Amino acid sequence: MGLREYVLRRVFQLVLTLWAFITVLFVLFRAVPGDPTTRFLMDYPDPAIRDARIEELGLDQPLYVQYFEYITALTRGDFGDSTYYNRPVSELIFPLFLNTVVLMFTALLIAYTIGVLFGAAMGWFRGSRFERGGIVATLVARSSPEFWIGIILIWIFVFQLGLLPRAGIGGYGGTLTMNLADRYLNVDFLRHLILPALTGAIFYMATPALLMRNTMLEVLKADFIEMKKAEGLPERTVLYKHAARNSVLPLVTVVAIATGAAMGGSVIIETVFNWPGIGREMVDSVTRNDYPMAMATFFFMGTAVIVMNFVADMAYLYLDPRVSYE
Amino acid sequence: MSLETPSDTTEQQVDAVDSRGIRWRRRINALRSWAGAVKEDRLGQIGLLILAVFVFVGIFARPIEVSIGPAYVTLQPFSLAPYEPSARPADGFHGPTWSHPLGTTSLGRDVLSQLLAATRVTLIVGSVAAFMAVFIGANVGIVSAYFGGWVDDILMRITDVIYGIPFLPFAIALVFILGASLTNVIIAIVLILWRGTARVVRSQVLSHKQRPYVESARAIGASHGRIMYVQIMPNVLPLISLYAAFAVAWAVIAEASLSFLGLGPPGMISWGEMIYDVRTEGALREAWWWAFPPGICIMLFVMSVFFIGRSLEKVVNPELRHTAN
């Protein structure tokens, strides 16, 4: 199979997966007990108004028509109106999505920078007390659910030391109407960002650290490392310039997959820190029976995972031409 | 990746002719190499020890009563927990005292008793969810790889779709839709968790499918089911058990997270739910004795499973044994 055919096939698979995911979403939220007018009914008990509402939402149509309309609406970026905010979901969701992306990007940046350096050092000093301690530390960090890491950090930095804010996104109360520069580029926002980003960073750090250590062990066995050492290069140069650089490759795909997966993890972190992102909104909208909003948040998280998995495959293809297109 | 030395092809061929004694010897050898790996691995031992303590507490924390028809049978009469977890022996919030070593909750319940009782919930969710997820995953992987063709295509496309679903959000949505109960929490976890095992087992079985022992088994007319489950399965079993260990860890983290969000099984105290209670009461600032023990328990439990998983990894991937530690 040629390269072009492989890419085409993978793109086709991407579309197929997205379609299947959207279908799962549709079925899942159709299975919700009570129909979407239940909440509306509490305010307007008149059956005539209810019927009008059902017609307006298209719920009197057969299921396959509803399904078709739902998919066409999605392709237009139309997620319906939030029943809680009484506004179009598409207007509400993008600022939330952006907040999540900023948080998760920061967390992953810290996690992968420190994780890679730490993992490289663990591989380099193999068999040492440092390596053993490092492995235990990463496993311990990995063993704590995100909410538990977050709670410890809050207890230390907020309640004991009083250094950082407890929750939220900034002194503006997290209003979403500000322009981006006002929202993100100020000290207050950064102070709010530290704890949630650190929570994510601690949780996600184990993967790059352990993986980096393992590939380092492989690379260090290679002949060219011995050669570099024999050339009389300083150890530090051999470690970071030659060994580590060659070990980092497999991590690129992991970064992409982790980025997608982190969208799911944001649910917990955002709830702990009251961060106004799609993760917290998902939990809130689910408990509020705001199905259009819940579906949209779920749609965004799922799409992020699917697209990042695709990016991972493509990145791997680009980085390692030896890969066979099975 | 088999457990034996590479020179066992003849043994495996004999095995295809169904020599029971040799097969048993293989199994005993497998167990022995496993025990050997754990014996060398300090972290694995610590993991086993911690897990053993949790299992002990899980069994003996509260009495176990089973209703058989109209009668109640008490399987386990002891109670390590000093109080009924939902009883209110105190009048409210108190720090640690001699009668309440970990203090009391805002409702005057004994924190230590809740902590001990919650161990069983974690054990049940962790083991049942992991077993079901790995059972489904292993079967999908074996069937997919063994038959190939359209069977493989369909099963693997389904696996791909599951890979596109974010774990925790899906579990939240599902538990919310189905209703919060122990069974539904487990179902939600299992529905996603099988995907990892399926992929890895498939790739392993693909390599085993080509080996001489499978061919010779086929030559003497063994059925598909027999080749899959009697010939191939034992060889991927170490890998499956490694994934089972990780599945336990993920299931426990997922259950704790769901409970932390208030979606845990109602009427059942779990560690995650204890922290949820602390948070909704706004008691984190002062009541460290209430918030910290359940978090530490979750951490220790998951850690013990990871440690055990690491020593299993050395059995599955013997190359790791030659590297340091």
Side-chain angles (χ1 to χ4, degrees):
Chain A
M1 196 191 299
L3 175 65
R4 180 195 294 259
E5 200 190 322
Y6 174 79
V7 173
L8 276 178
R9 217 177 125 142
R10 198 60 193 77
V11 171
F12 175 69
Q13 231 177 64
L14 171 75
V15 176
L16 201 71
T17 313
L18 275 174
W19 168 75
F21 171 65
I22 290 169
T23 308
V24 169
L25 201 61
F26 179 80
V27 173
L28 207 61
F29 281 89
R30 285 293 135 154
V32 169
D35 66 86
T37 59
T38 315
R39 198 191 135 73
F40 186 78
L41 258 181
M42 288 189 283
D43 305 335
Y44 303 94
D46 184 353
I49 299 179
R50 178 171 181 260
D51 288 346
R53 180 74 179 164
I54 285 180
E55 203 168 315
E56 190 194 334
L57 289 170
L59 292 170
D60 52 343
Q61 306 279 338
L63 214 57
Y64 70 91
V65 177
Q66 291 183 37
Y67 175 66
F68 186 71
E69 302 222 313
Y70 158 74
I71 287 195
T72 41
L74 269 190
T75 51
R76 287 197 309 266
D78 176 9
F79 296 94
D81 290 355
S82 157
T83 55
Y84 179 78
Y85 298 101
N86 279 320
R87 280 171 59 196
V89 169
S90 50
E91 266 176 39
L92 297 160
I93 201 141
F94 286 105
L96 297 174
F97 186 65
L98 211 58
N99 285 341
T100 299
V101 170
V102 169
L103 171 60
M104 283 300 140
F105 178 77
T106 317
L108 287 169
L109 191 71
I110 302 172
Y112 276 78
T113 313
I114 298 179
V116 163
L117 294 175
F118 190 51
M122 277 201 291
W124 187 256
F125 298 109
R126 64 184 181 283
S128 67
R129 187 173 289 178
F130 169 77
E131 193 212 14
R132 278 195 295 274
I135 287 176
V136 174
T138 42
L139 287 177
V140 169
R142 195 75 166 109
S143 304
S144 317
E146 285 133 317
F147 68 84
W148 174 235
I149 300 174
I151 277 177
I152 295 176
L153 290 181
I154 287 175
W155 193 78
I156 297 173
F157 289 100
V158 182
F159 293 153
Q160 297 305 306
L161 302 175
L163 286 175
L164 292 165
R166 158 81 181 77
I169 192 173
Y172 301 101
T175 20
L176 299 171
T177 45
M178 291 180 282
N179 69 47
L180 294 185
D182 285 349
R183 198 154 101 211
Y184 295 133
L185 294 177
N186 57 70
V187 178
D188 193 41
F189 174 79
L190 291 179
R191 274 167 51 83
H192 281 83
L193 180 64
I194 293 174
L195 286 186
L198 205 59
T199 304
I202 292 172
F203 188 74
Y204 295 119
M205 199 142 56
T207 311
L210 294 177
L211 198 67
M212 188 69 190
R213 171 186 164 271
N214 284 352
T215 37
M216 273 293 275
L217 292 180
E218 285 298 309
V219 172
L220 286 173
K221 273 190 228 151
D223 295 337
F224 77 94
I225 295 293
E226 286 305 317
M227 267 176 57
K228 291 294 169 195
K229 275 187 190 163
E231 278 171 22
L233 288 174
E235 289 233 318
R236 189 178 291 267
T237 316
V238 182
L239 164 60
Y240 284 114
K241 213 167 169 193
H242 300 284
R245 194 167 287 184
N246 279 290
S247 308
V248 122
L249 258 190
L251 263 172
V252 175
T253 56
V254 179
V255 172
I257 293 170
T259 311
M263 302 295 293
S266 72
V267 174
I268 295 292
I269 298 180
E270 290 178 2
T271 304
V272 174
F273 291 97
N274 255 335
W275 187 267
I278 58 167
R280 193 193 66 162
E281 190 62 38
M282 189 204 154
V283 177
D284 288 351
S285 55
V286 158
T287 49
R288 285 170 187 149
N289 291 332
D290 186 352
Y291 296 136
M293 195 70 189
M295 275 173 100
T297 52
F298 200 61
F299 172 81
F300 268 78
M301 288 182 213
T303 309
V305 178
I306 294 167
V307 170
M308 291 319 282
N309 285 351
F310 175 76
V311 170
D313 277 4
M314 291 298 113
Y316 198 64
L317 202 63
Y318 175 73
L319 290 168
D320 195 349
R322 287 168 304 177
V323 68
S324 59
Y325 324 113
E326 82 167 282
Chain B
M1 238 167 279
S2 80
L3 287 172
E4 296 85 358
T5 48
S7 63
D8 63 359
T9 15
T10 47
E11 205 172 281
Q12 281 168 339
Q13 271 160 354
V14 176
D15 177 63
V17 193
D18 201 17
S19 166
R20 226 160 266 251
I22 287 176
R23 217 165 44 228
W24 273 107
R25 210 166 71 210
R26 270 172 62 194
R27 279 178 197 152
I28 291 164
N29 280 345
L31 275 180
R32 224 179 247 157
S33 83
W34 194 337
V38 175
K39 210 178 271 176
E40 283 168 30
D41 188 49
R42 177 65 63 81
L43 290 185
Q45 289 167 1
I46 296 174
L48 277 177
L49 187 73
I50 299 174
L51 190 64
V53 172
F54 277 125
V55 171
F56 179 81
V57 170
I59 293 171
F60 294 105
R62 305 282 310 144
I64 301 176
E65 281 179 349
V66 184
S67 61
I68 300 171
Y72 273 97
V73 179
T74 307
L75 293 178
Q76 196 289 111
F78 300 102
S79 182
L80 287 177
Y83 301 90
E84 188 80 27
S86 54
R88 296 179 175 186
D91 53 354
F93 219 35
H94 292 292
T97 54
W98 280 115
S99 50
H100 301 285
L102 293 176
T104 58
T105 74
S106 56
L107 292 173
R109 290 173 177 152
D110 183 50
V111 173
L112 178 68
S113 301
Q114 291 201 340
L115 193 74
L116 295 178
T119 311
R120 194 178 292 164
V121 178
T122 305
L123 282 171
I124 292 172
V125 173
S127 53
V128 174
F131 177 79
M132 285 169 66
V134 169
F135 182 80
I136 296 173
N139 278 298
V140 168
I142 288 185
V143 168
S144 190
Y146 182 78
F147 288 109
W150 61 268
V151 175
D152 188 32
D153 271 341
I154 290 177
L155 289 176
M156 280 304 112
R157 289 304 81 76
I158 294 175
T159 315
D160 284 344
V161 172
I162 304 289
Y163 260 98
I165 293 175
F167 184 16
L168 205 55
F170 175 80
I172 292 167
L174 206 65
V175 168
F176 185 75
I177 288 166
L178 298 174
S181 75
L182 190 65
T183 322
N184 291 343
V185 167
I186 291 174
I187 288 175
I189 295 170
V190 169
L191 279 179
I192 295 270
L193 209 55
W194 63 268
R195 62 189 180 185
T197 318
R199 252 191 204 179
V200 180
V201 167
R202 174 179 174 270
S203 68
Q204 280 290 304
V205 173
L206 277 181
S207 93
H208 275 278
K209 214 175 111 182
Q210 315 286 351
R211 300 197 186 172
Y213 75 91
V214 172
E215 268 166 39
S216 52
R218 199 172 287 150
I220 61 165
S223 67
H224 292 313
R226 189 172 172 82
I227 296 176
M228 278 193 285
Y229 294 103
V230 180
Q231 307 292 340
I232 299 180
M233 183 76 124
N235 289 302
V236 285
L237 214 53
L239 189 81
I240 293 173
S241 53
L242 172 65
Y243 268 74
F246 290 138
V248 170
W250 285 115
V252 167
I253 290 183
E255 188 277 327
S257 301
L258 285 170
S259 298
F260 170 74
L261 293 173
L263 287 167
M268 234 179 247
I269 297 151
S270 76
W271 293 329
E273 198 172 312
M274 288 174 76
I275 298 178
Y276 167 78
D277 288 343
V278 176
R279 199 164 168 272
T280 47
E281 290 292 321
L284 180 60
R285 185 188 291 267
E286 60 268 37
W288 54 269
W289 67 83
W290 182 9
F292 276 37
I296 292 169
C297 281
I298 297 170
M299 202 174 76
L300 280 177
F301 189 93
V302 176
M303 208 175 77
S304 71
V305 184
F306 273 144
F307 284 174
I308 295 168
R310 248 181 64 85
S311 53
L312 288 181
E313 214 163 11
K314 289 182 186 172
V315 182
V316 175
N317 187 1
E319 222 177 79
L320 284 176
R321 255 184 279 182
H322 303 306
T323 59
N325 82 88

